[in-house]
């Protein structure tokens, strides 16, 4: 059954402005700008934040692990986790999934199972195309996509923030309509300000009366003498030159734009320096590894856990999909290894227990506690040094 069959669509009015400039009164957005999944990327802060999250998640390698008898073994990655469908590789698919989550707060994956229990394919469905229904006779959840219905087993839903009693997550672009709309309105104002050039750079004024022809001639003479030339000006007939400066309100616009960037970075919990923002980010790190570890812990980890939990449901019960975050956790890895080495040396941790923490396969005799300094299994005599 295909979910990509086109159904009849009728265009509905979205605003009272046929040119699509004003969004009043159909959107709860006082800026008057339309904020949707398309033009939201006109905000450099949104584009930078979303692309940073999607690139970071999609760039991490994927591992498939299996737990047997309290031991973890690494398994080959199934082909569907390398090429989810005939149009995307796993990087592109995961990038699209993360982008959808960051913009809409919801992601839906069509993943019908094959005979081996694994998905035959995985494809992202636009959140607006999915409607959740509950069958009245059995109480089972089904998803309505167009005119077709799909069982919950074939559609995997991933949400960001879900309130009690709700079936869908909170959409960031819905929650931030005023903030994003204000930023878009300011960009439009600046574009018109510089594009139309409605404000002159200076004015020639006089207390005397002049005809329109005289005013035009004076302007032409001034432009010919001074356009792209820094020549001395000689004014006659009571003419005075006055420069037009930008108002204080216009000067504060850049500061307000930066406050919008800070608000967006705050929502996605992204350090300002990672999206080239200024102000309000006084946290410093001693090295690049520390920066990456903090970014992973406070920003990416929540997304990683959501995606790992969701995609692990496509695997058998004793298998799990995990992201390899080694590139972000180099500093943490060194700290953990040092702590585990101390615990192994004092006999409070076995080597295999330490390897399990790092999601690595055990080795023979690794379940034995070792002596403090000799690093041999407890109960065995230390080998005397050769002479």
């Amino acid at each position: 059954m295909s979910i990509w069959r086109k159904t009849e669509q009728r265009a509905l009015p979205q605003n009272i402005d046929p040119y699509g400039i004003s969004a009043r009164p159909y959107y709860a957005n006082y800026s008057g700008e339309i904020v949707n999944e398309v033009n939201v990327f006109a905000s450099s802060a949104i584009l930078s934040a979303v692309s940073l999250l999607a690139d970071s998640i999609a760039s991490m390698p994927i591992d498939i692990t299996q737990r047997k008898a309290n031991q973890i073994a690494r398994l080959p990655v199934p082909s569907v986790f390398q090429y989810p469908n005939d149009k995307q590789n796993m990087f592109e698919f995961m990038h699209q999934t993360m982008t959808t989550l960051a913009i809409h707060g919801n992601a839906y994956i069509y993943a019908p199972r094959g005979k081996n229990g694994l998905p035959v394919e995985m494809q992202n469905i636009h959140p607006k195309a999915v409607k959740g229904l509950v069958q009245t006779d059995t109480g089972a959840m089904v998803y309505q996509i167009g005119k077709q219905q799909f069982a919950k087993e074939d559609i995997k839903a991933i949400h960001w923030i879900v309130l009690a009693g709700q079936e869908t997550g909170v959409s960031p672009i819905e929650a931030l309509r005023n903030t994003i709309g204000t930023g878009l309105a300011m960009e439009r104002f600046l574009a018109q300000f510089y594009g139309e050039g409605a404000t002159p750079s200076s004015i020639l004024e006089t207390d005397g009366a002049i005809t329109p022809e005289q005013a035009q001639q004076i302007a032409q003479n001034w432009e010919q003498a001074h356009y792209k030339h820094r020549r001395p000006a000689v004014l006659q007939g009571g003419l005075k030159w006055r420069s037009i400066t930008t108002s204080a309100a216009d000067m504060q616009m850049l500061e307000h734009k930066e406050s919008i960037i800070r608000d967006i970075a705050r929502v996605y919990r992204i350090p300002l320096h990672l999206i080239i923002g200024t102000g309000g980010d006084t946290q410093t790190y001693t090295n690049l590894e520390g920066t990456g570890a903090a970014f992973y812990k406070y920003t990416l980890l929540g997304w990683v856990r959501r995606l790992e939990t969701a995609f692990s449901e496509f695997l058998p019960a004793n298998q799990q999909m995990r992201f390899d975050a080694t590139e972000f956790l180099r500093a943490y890895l060194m700290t953990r290894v040092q702590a585990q080495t101390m615990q192994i040396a004092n006999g409070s941790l076995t080597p295999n227990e330490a390897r399990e923490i790092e999601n690595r396969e055990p080795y023979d005799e690794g379940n034995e506690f070792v002596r403090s300094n000799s690093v041999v299994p407890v109960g065995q005599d230390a080998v005397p040094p050769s002479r």
Side-chain angles (χ1 to χ4, degrees), residues 269 290-303 328-329 332:
R269 293 202 304 251
T291 303
F295 175 59
Y296 178 83
K297 180 178 180 180
Y298 298 110
T299 304
L300 297 181
L301 185 58
W303 300 105
F328 293 100
L329 300 178
Y332 278 2

Side-chain angles (χ1 to χ4, degrees), residues 202-269:
S202 61
I203 293 177
L204 291 173
E205 57 185 7
T206 179
D207 295 333
I210 58 176
T211 64
E213 292 76 11
Q214 291 175 331
Q216 183 177 5
Q217 186 63 44
I218 292 173
Q220 291 179 354
N221 293 340
W222 180 271
E223 185 175 359
Q224 291 175 0
H226 300 284
Y227 180 69
K228 293 186 177 181
H229 300 287
R230 299 184 61 84
R231 298 173 180 174
V234 179
L235 302 179
Q236 298 178 348
L239 286 175
K240 299 178 181 179
W241 178 86
R242 179 166 60 88
S243 175
I244 300 297
T245 59
T246 305
S247 65
D250 294 335
M251 293 296 293
Q252 293 178 352
M253 182 175 295
L254 293 179
E255 297 179 6
H256 192 51
K257 286 183 62 177
E258 289 298 328
S259 71
I260 292 176
I261 294 176
R262 289 195 296 271
D263 288 340
I264 293 173
R266 185 181 299 117
V267 169
Y268 288 104
R269 293 202 304 251

Side-chain angles (χ1 to χ4, degrees), residues 92-328:
E92 297 169 335
F93 175 78
M94 194 64 69
H95 195 281
Q96 186 181 67
T97 303
M98 188 61 220
T99 300
T100 305
L101 265 175
I103 290 297
H104 294 282
N106 304 277
Y108 297 90
I109 301 174
Y110 173 66
R113 304 297 181 101
K115 295 181 179 180
N116 59 355
L118 294 175
V120 177
E121 65 171 347
M122 295 187 295
Q123 296 194 40
N124 281 301
I125 310 172
H126 197 287
K128 292 184 178 180
V130 180
K131 297 185 181 299
L133 302 175
V134 178
Q135 294 179 347
T136 57
D137 52 348
T138 63
M141 172 70 74
V142 296
Y143 290 97
Q144 182 82 27
I145 303 176
K147 295 183 178 180
Q148 303 178 43
Q149 291 185 353
F150 297 87
K152 185 179 180 180
E153 291 73 20
D154 294 334
I155 304 292
K156 179 58 187 174
I158 309 175
H159 307 295
W160 183 5
I161 300 175
V162 183
L163 302 178
Q166 299 295 320
E167 296 179 358
T168 58
V170 176
S171 170
I173 63 173
E174 295 287 344
L176 295 176
R177 280 195 180 278
N178 280 316
T179 301
I180 300 173
T182 301
L184 296 178
M186 295 173 66
E187 294 289 347
R188 184 186 297 278
F189 171 81
L190 290 175
Q192 292 177 336
F193 179 84
Y194 290 106
E196 296 175 357
T199 303
S201 60
S202 61
I203 293 177
L204 291 173
E205 57 185 7
T206 179
D207 295 333
I210 58 176
T211 64
E213 292 76 11
Q214 291 175 331
Q216 183 177 5
Q217 186 63 44
I218 292 173
Q220 291 179 354
N221 293 340
W222 180 271
E223 185 175 359
Q224 291 175 0
H226 300 284
Y227 180 69
K228 293 186 177 181
H229 300 287
R230 299 184 61 84
R231 298 173 180 174
V234 179
L235 302 179
Q236 298 178 348
L239 286 175
K240 299 178 181 179
W241 178 86
R242 179 166 60 88
S243 175
I244 300 297
T245 59
T246 305
S247 65
D250 294 335
M251 293 296 293
Q252 293 178 352
M253 182 175 295
L254 293 179
E255 297 179 6
H256 192 51
K257 286 183 62 177
E258 289 298 328
S259 71
I260 292 176
I261 294 176
R262 289 195 296 271
D263 288 340
I264 293 173
R266 185 181 299 117
V267 169
Y268 288 104
R269 293 202 304 251
I270 295 177
L272 273 174
H273 68 273
L274 292 181
I275 57 174
I276 321 299
T278 59
D281 190 13
T282 58
Q283 180 66 47
T284 59
Y285 302 96
T286 57
N287 49 51
L288 182 62
E289 289 79 6
T291 303
F295 175 59
Y296 178 83
K297 180 178 180 180
Y298 298 110
T299 304
L300 297 181
L301 185 58
W303 300 105
V304 166
R305 291 293 180 261
R306 287 185 186 91
L307 295 172
E308 285 180 344
T309 302
F311 283 96
S312 293
E313 294 182 9
F314 297 144
L315 299 170
N318 60 343
Q319 296 183 15
Q320 184 181 18
M321 189 212 82
R322 297 189 64 175
F323 288 101
D324 184 358
T326 303
E327 291 299 321
F328 293 100

